[in-house]
């Protein structure tokens, strides 16, 4: 195992725990937060998101000053090491501000070709999902391994949706899923639902449009647990653009991809 990566993997898990604790402190005092509108009434942000990202950026800059950092709230800082951290300080902000427990801190590291580390911390459940390329995935230290047992029919499928997607697409996806005998769930955090795929709690997850900070940690987890993911750019301009996100266990991937294609969710 690459020593550089092993160091960063330990660091990422500690950082996710520290950032999660700070976010949880804000969550417990959320009635005092001023919620600001970002992209619309369904797309909000608060000081909690900004402070957690600031903490993460400060820790990364101190430990690995040559690494790049892309965070949802503060953008891209180019690095020189070939590694870029891709961070969502709070994924599931709407859930967070409305008092739901389904939010997480999502931290990925890319080597400028693919995610090589993925850590998702869900503070309200005291759960840490962690994966390193070639090293497998774990949930609170217990290895995660997907087999083909879960299908769209016998499992639940996570479907994400935001105001950036034409509502008819989401409707078509849900009706297509139900027509083949499946059913859907949406927790409010896409990153958490990707972690659920890695843990075998969901057969698969699809959202027509998300960003790198929403999905790269989850993608690393799913791939290391033995699942499959639709490619998402992990370098250059692509890192900043939105695109479809789809991941599933081996028993559901093809069927979910077909469904997404027939629901025209991948075509624009
Ligand atoms: C959002 C959540 C949500 C998904 C949106 C994301 P945010 O991230 O993951 O579940 O449907 O597309 O933007 O804004 O809470 O970090
Ligand atoms: Ca997010
Ligand atoms: Ca966020």
């Amino acid at each position: 195992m690459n020593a550089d990566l092993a160091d960063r993997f330990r660091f990422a898990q500690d950082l996710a725990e520290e950032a999660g604790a700070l976010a949880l402190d804000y969550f417990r005092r959320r009635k005092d937060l001023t919620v600001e509108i970002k992209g619309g009434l369904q797309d909000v942000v608060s000081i909690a998101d900004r402070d957690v990202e600031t903490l993460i950026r400060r820790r990364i800059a101190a430990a690995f000053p040559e690494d790049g950092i892309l965070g949802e709230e503060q953008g891209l800082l180019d690095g020189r090491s070939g590694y870029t951290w891709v961070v969502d300080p709070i994924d599931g902000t709407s859930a967070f501000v409305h008092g739901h427990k389904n939010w997480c801190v999502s931290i990925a590291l890319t080597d400028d070709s693919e995610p090589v580390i993925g850590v998702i911390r869900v503070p309200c459940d005291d759960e840490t999902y962690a994966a390193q390329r070639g090293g497998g995935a774990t949930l609170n230290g217990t290895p995660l391994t997907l087999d083909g047992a879960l299908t769209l029919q016998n499992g639940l499928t996570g479907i994400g949706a935001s105001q950036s997607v034409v509502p008819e697409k989401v409707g078509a996806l849900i009706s297509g899923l139900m027509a083949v005998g499946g059913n859907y769930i949406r927790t409010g955090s896409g990153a958490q639902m990707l972690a659920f795929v890695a843990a075998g709690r969901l057969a698969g997850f699809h959202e027509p449009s998300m960003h790198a900070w929403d999905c790269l940690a989850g993608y690393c987890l799913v791939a290391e647990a033995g699942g499959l993911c639709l490619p998402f750019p992990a370098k250059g301009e692509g890192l900043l653009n939105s695109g479809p996100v789809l991941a599933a266990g081996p028993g559901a991937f093809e069927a979910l991809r077909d469904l997404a294609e027939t629901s025209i969710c991948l075509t624009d």
Side-chain angles (χ1 to χ4, degrees):
M1 186 187 298
N2 173 333
D4 283 359
L5 261 193
D7 284 351
R8 285 171 172 82
F9 188 41
R10 271 190 299 276
F11 167 82
Q13 291 170 81
D14 291 346
L15 181 56
E17 184 147 353
E18 185 184 6
L22 177 61
L24 185 61
D25 183 48
Y26 274 114
F27 182 68
R28 291 185 174 138
R29 296 184 285 118
R30 65 190 171 279
K31 289 198 172 54
D32 301 331
L33 290 177
T34 303
V35 177
E36 299 157 47
I37 292 164
K38 199 154 82 166
L41 289 174
Q42 296 285 341
D43 184 10
V44 292
V45 68
S46 82
I47 189 75
D49 304 76
R50 296 203 187 93
D51 269 7
V52 174
E53 183 163 326
T54 297
L55 168 78
I56 292 172
R57 293 179 94 100
R58 205 176 282 151
R59 294 280 186 264
I60 293 171
F64 302 105
E66 308 273 284
D67 290 4
I69 310 174
L70 171 65
E72 177 177 12
E73 309 304 339
Q74 295 170 38
L76 178 65
L77 174 75
D78 282 321
R80 287 184 300 272
S81 64
Y83 288 119
T84 302
W85 295 90
V86 182
V87 169
D88 194 339
I90 297 178
D91 184 73
T93 294
S94 291
F96 181 102
V97 301
H98 292 299
H100 299 276
K101 295 177 178 174
N102 297 315
W103 53 270
C104 60
V105 176
S106 178
I107 299 176
L109 180 74
T110 75
D111 66 357
D112 286 348
S113 66
E114 61 174 347
V116 291
I117 285 173
V119 178
I120 289 179
R121 172 74 183 159
V122 186
C124 291
D125 293 335
D126 193 16
E127 290 192 332
T128 301
Y129 301 80
Q132 180 188 345
R133 183 176 56 189
T138 57
L139 166 52
N140 287 351
T142 302
L144 299 173
T145 310
L146 294 171
D147 55 26
L150 271 189
T151 65
L152 296 187
Q153 286 71 31
N154 68 12
L156 283 171
T157 300
I159 301 288
S162 71
Q163 295 299 319
S164 62
V165 177
V166 191
E168 288 73 14
K169 282 189 172 191
V170 183
L173 190 63
I174 290 173
S175 38
L177 177 62
M178 298 197 69
V180 297
N183 213 332
Y184 68 94
I185 195 164
R186 178 175 191 268
T187 69
S189 163
Q192 186 198 29
M193 286 194 280
L194 285 166
F196 283 169
V197 174
R201 294 175 180 173
L202 291 178
F205 169 77
H206 174 49
E207 177 156 341
S209 180
M210 294 182 100
H211 285 92
W213 49 79
D214 300 309
C215 71
L216 289 186
Y219 266 21
C220 186
L221 285 158
V222 171
E224 285 301 319
L228 298 142
C229 307
L230 205 68
F232 195 96
K235 63 175 173 183
E237 280 294 292
L239 255 189
L240 303 175
N241 296 336
S242 56
V245 168
L246 190 151
F253 181 78
E254 255 178 62
L256 186 55
R257 192 184 51 195
D258 289 352
L259 200 63
E261 278 167 0
T262 52
S263 309
I264 55 155
C265 285
L266 301 179
T267 55
D268 68 359

